[in-house]
Structures are given as structure tokens and as C-alpha cells.
Amino acid sequence: MLFQRPRHSTIRHFPIWLFVAALPMVTLADSNDSSVLVAQLAEDENVEDVVRSEPRRSPGEDDDASDDEQESSAPDTGQQTQTVKPLVVPVTRKIAPNIDLKEVAPLPEPEPEPESLPGAELSAEEVQALQDTAQGETPAAEDESDAPAEPLPAESFTLLGKEVLPGTSTRLAWSPQIQIAGLSQITPVLVVNGVNAGPTLCLTGAVHGDELNGIEIIRRTMYDLNPEKLSGRVIGVPIVNLTGFQQGSRYLPDRRDLNRFFPGRKDGNLADRVAYSLFENVIRHCDMLVDIHTGSLKRTNLPQLRADMNNPDVAEFTRGFDRMAVVHSSGSPGMLRTAAVQAGIRAVTMEAGESLRIQEHQIEAGVNSLNSLLEKHGMISRMFVWGDPEPVYYDSTWVRAEHGGILFSEIDLGANVSEGEVLGYVADPITNEQHPIRSTSNGRIIGMAVDQVVMAGFAAYHIGTEAEVPGE
């Protein structure tokens, strides 16, 4: 009994001493974790103003981390090749359903794991029947070599894990996989694959979530297409920034402008990942791209194209848009059209109207110009009457308010103005002073602020100037 008491006492107090000894270590670990977290957040906030390229990474831990990421991503790459192989040498294929886009239909299911989706596979007999049908039409076109104008039959193509057959239209699902898995939302992607071969045109809207006119322009354009009379393919993403659209916000949930992060990075910040997912899964399938926007911050734009007219392919591309003014702009790094042009895709930005509004006149102008583009490239055949060509503005300037107050405009969007002409005035509601805003050059109002409260330096009027360019 005398030897049992110290043993019980030692067992009773040992955990207490162990806890006391470990307490500083726990406190130190907590303090270290918090300091690392603060450093990461601070660095992430500054990444927006730094070039987002691989050389930015330090040669130490970042290189090791990138190697680990590449090793960890290897199994994923293998899974992707497994999903692609059946499409190249098909045993079973996932066929997108042929639907009428005008009909109300439930949203398609996303495909994070293509092999787990039921009901989309065809048996080997069905695949062979489809191949025999497609091959049976090809010799007829080849035999008639005396008729070179006969269109070539289209082929199936794969987008977002689904094979879209010729002469069909469908809704697919794109998800950048950035949200909580149980709360993730899909972005509908409209696809029309014509019966005849031709180029692939992509239309994107609401990259800024508060720009609504582009959504309606894409809807009307896509729903008016008949795959049985279409040559080529048209892919439409009406709402790219779905979270911003739902909140009526221009930006992503992390307050970043998505149109400054293309083509994106797979392991970057939120905007990088969204941009990378869209660009790799959708945009790289395009031959031509029209990215539709509106004015921002209570400004409105005349229907116009923004294009790098120094690029011959892009300059030629702009000639397919009917009654649409063209403003020369080389584009900023990170913009969708800039990244697309660098990837060899002819791309322009279409501006139409102002944000947070549905404007019928602007929508009609956008739909008309897209129809003319389709006709220009032989994708549709319609009785299209071309209007008078709009000028190309190789130079443009913003006229800013020199005083704060309430802006009142005296000219309309699209008006021709002369140097020195009064465009509007800013009224001080307290002193009743009125300060006129005058045009700085001869030109046309291609964008302007709506009447609102402004501060000194606010960009109020965008004046486009036609410049003499050889060959134009």
C-alpha cells in the first residue's frame, strides 16, 4: 500500500504537467499560424497590381510547391485523357440531347465527373448506326465534283464533355468549380451545330454581372438559329459572371474585375480560375469571338465595336458588322478579347447601352449586327439589307468635368459635335453656379454619362474622331 500511493499520485499529476509544458507550444503555434495567414492575405491583395506570371514565384518553396501540384494533378490529367479517348475512338459516346432552344426546358446537369453521368451513353450498335448514316451522306457530296458550291456536311464536335451532333441544338452546363460543392451553380451554354461545315462563332455576355443588354442580344440571336439551315457552329454563353448577375454587381464575389484576368491561371486567385476555366473549356473552341458589354458606372455607349485595328485579321473581321461604329482600341492585358486574339482567335468587344438596364434599341442594333456577321461568313442565308457603313474612329478622348455638382447634358448620344460646343453643364446645388462642359475636338459622342451627381475629374463625354488612315 505504501508503494501504491506515489504511483497513483504520479499518474494523477502527470497529465497536468504535460499540459502545462505543451501550453506554450500551442500558443506559439497559434501565433505563428495567425502571422502566416495575415501575410498571405496581404500578398493576395497586392497580386492585382503585379504581373501574374510564373517568374513571380520565388525559386524556393514556390518551385517545390509547383512540382508537388504537378505531381498531384497527374492523376487528374489521366482522368481527362480517359474522358477524351472514347470521343476519339468511340466505344460509347455521350451525346448532347437535341432540343429546341425556344422551348422551356430544365437546366442541364454539370459534368465534374463525366463518367458518372447516366443516360447520356450510346451502345456500340447505336454508334455504328450513326457512323454509317454520316458516311452514307459523304459520298453523295464527293460524287458531285462538278458542283463546287455544294456545302460540305458538318461533323460532330465535343464541348464540355458532350458530343454535339450535326444539325442539332442543345444546352450544356459550364461550372468553374469555385463554389461549395453542395451549393455550386451551373452556367448554361447554348450550342447550335449546323448541318453544314463552317466556322465556329462564340458569343459571351455578362462578363460584368450588371451588364444586361448582352444577355438579351445573345438570347435572341441564338434562339433564332435553325441548325438545319446553319453552316458552322454558334456557341453562346449569355451569363458568364453568374454570381455577379445574381447580385446586380459588375464584379466577382472577391471584388475583382473578371475582364482583367484572361486567359487566367488554373492555380491563381478566384478571378484567375474562372477565367481559366471559361477560356480552356469554351473559348479555345472558337474561330471568332464577340464579347458583349455595356457602359459602366452610370455611363451609356453608342452601339459600337472595340477592336485592335492594327491587327489585319481583326480589322477585316469588323467589316462583317452592319451599322456598327468601330473604335480602335488595342485592348488591355487580361481582357477576354485581348487573350483571344493572342490565342489566334479573331475577337472584338461589342458595346451597347448602359448597365442594369434592358434597352430595346441597343438590343436590336446588336442582334442586327450579329445576323449580318453570320451572313457575311456564309453561316446563314437570308435576305439581309445592309445599311450605310458606320465610320471607324481611330482616335477618341474623354471630356471630364472640372467641377463637382449635378450633371445636365444638352446633347444626345450619337450626336456630331464641334470643338468648343457646349455638351452640358454641372450645377452646384448650393451656390447655384453653373459650369459648362465644352467639346475639346470635332467628332461624335460615342459614349456619355447619364445625368447624375459628379465630382471633379469625372469622365462625362466620350468623343470619337475619324482619322485619316491610308487604305481606308
Side-chain angles (χ1 to χ4, degrees), residues 19 46 75 147 199 209 213 223 238 276 294 321 345 351 369 421 436 459:
F19 173 77
N46 294 330
N213 285 336
Y223 289 1
Y276 178 86
T294 72
F321 296 82
I345 303 169
E351 295 277 351
S369 65
E421 181 179 346

Side-chain angles (χ1 to χ4, degrees), residues 390-407:
E390 290 284 345
V392 177
Y393 299 102
Y394 287 93
D395 190 20
S396 64
T397 57
W398 277 97
V399 180
R400 299 180 179 274
E402 297 296 332
H403 302 82
I406 302 177
L407 173 66

Side-chain angles (χ1 to χ4, degrees), residues 419-438:
E419 183 177 358
E421 181 179 346
V422 175
L423 307 178
Y425 62 92
V426 176
D428 190 318
I430 305 302
T431 65
N432 201 31
E433 291 182 279
Q434 296 185 4
H435 307 280
I437 302 178
R438 299 181 181 274

Side-chain angles (χ1 to χ4, degrees), residues 271-399:
D272 275 320
R273 294 168 186 249
V274 175
Y276 178 86
S277 178
L278 178 70
F279 203 85
E280 296 298 322
N281 292 309
V282 179
I283 302 302
R284 288 198 184 275
H285 294 266
C286 312
D287 300 317
M288 305 175 290
L289 170 67
V290 181
D291 185 27
I292 308 177
H293 289 260
T294 72
S296 62
L297 301 175
K298 298 182 180 179
R299 295 186 181 91
T300 183
N301 286 325
L302 187 75
Q304 61 191 257
L305 300 178
R306 304 279 177 88
D308 184 3
M309 300 301 287
N310 293 324
N311 186 311
D313 293 333
V314 174
E316 178 63 28
F317 183 49
T318 62
R319 294 184 173 90
F321 296 82
D322 180 47
R323 304 179 188 180
M324 188 69 64
V326 180
V327 180
H328 168 64
S329 172
S330 59
S332 302
M335 295 178 64
L336 177 54
R337 71 174 170 95
T338 303
V341 171
Q342 292 174 349
I345 303 169
R346 291 169 288 174
V348 297
T349 299
M350 178 187 293
E351 295 277 351
E354 62 182 286
S355 60
L356 293 174
R357 292 189 61 189
I358 292 291
Q359 298 167 291
E360 186 64 28
H361 175 72
Q362 312 279 5
I363 293 171
E364 290 178 353
V367 173
N368 175 77
S369 65
L370 291 180
N371 285 333
S372 69
L373 180 68
L374 292 169
E375 195 271 342
K376 173 76 172 180
H377 290 274
M379 300 178 71
I380 61 174
S381 179
R382 295 178 181 174
M383 294 296 296
F384 191 88
V385 179
W386 287 74
D388 297 330
E390 290 284 345
V392 177
Y393 299 102
Y394 287 93
D395 190 20
S396 64
T397 57
W398 277 97
V399 180

Side-chain angles (χ1 to χ4, degrees), residues 389-471:
E390 290 284 345
V392 177
Y393 299 102
Y394 287 93
D395 190 20
S396 64
T397 57
W398 277 97
V399 180
R400 299 180 179 274
E402 297 296 332
H403 302 82
I406 302 177
L407 173 66
F408 295 94
S409 294
E410 295 189 346
I411 48 92
D412 296 325
L413 187 65
N416 293 311
V417 297
S418 303
E419 183 177 358
E421 181 179 346
V422 175
L423 307 178
Y425 62 92
V426 176
D428 190 318
I430 305 302
T431 65
N432 201 31
E433 291 182 279
Q434 296 185 4
H435 307 280
I437 302 178
R438 299 181 181 274
S439 175
T440 57
S441 61
N442 299 329
R444 188 182 184 189
I445 303 297
I446 58 177
M448 60 184 290
V450 299
D451 293 349
Q452 59 184 290
V453 177
V454 300
M455 303 298 290
F458 185 82
Y461 301 97
H462 193 192
I463 301 178
T465 304
E466 297 182 56
E468 295 294 334
V469 177

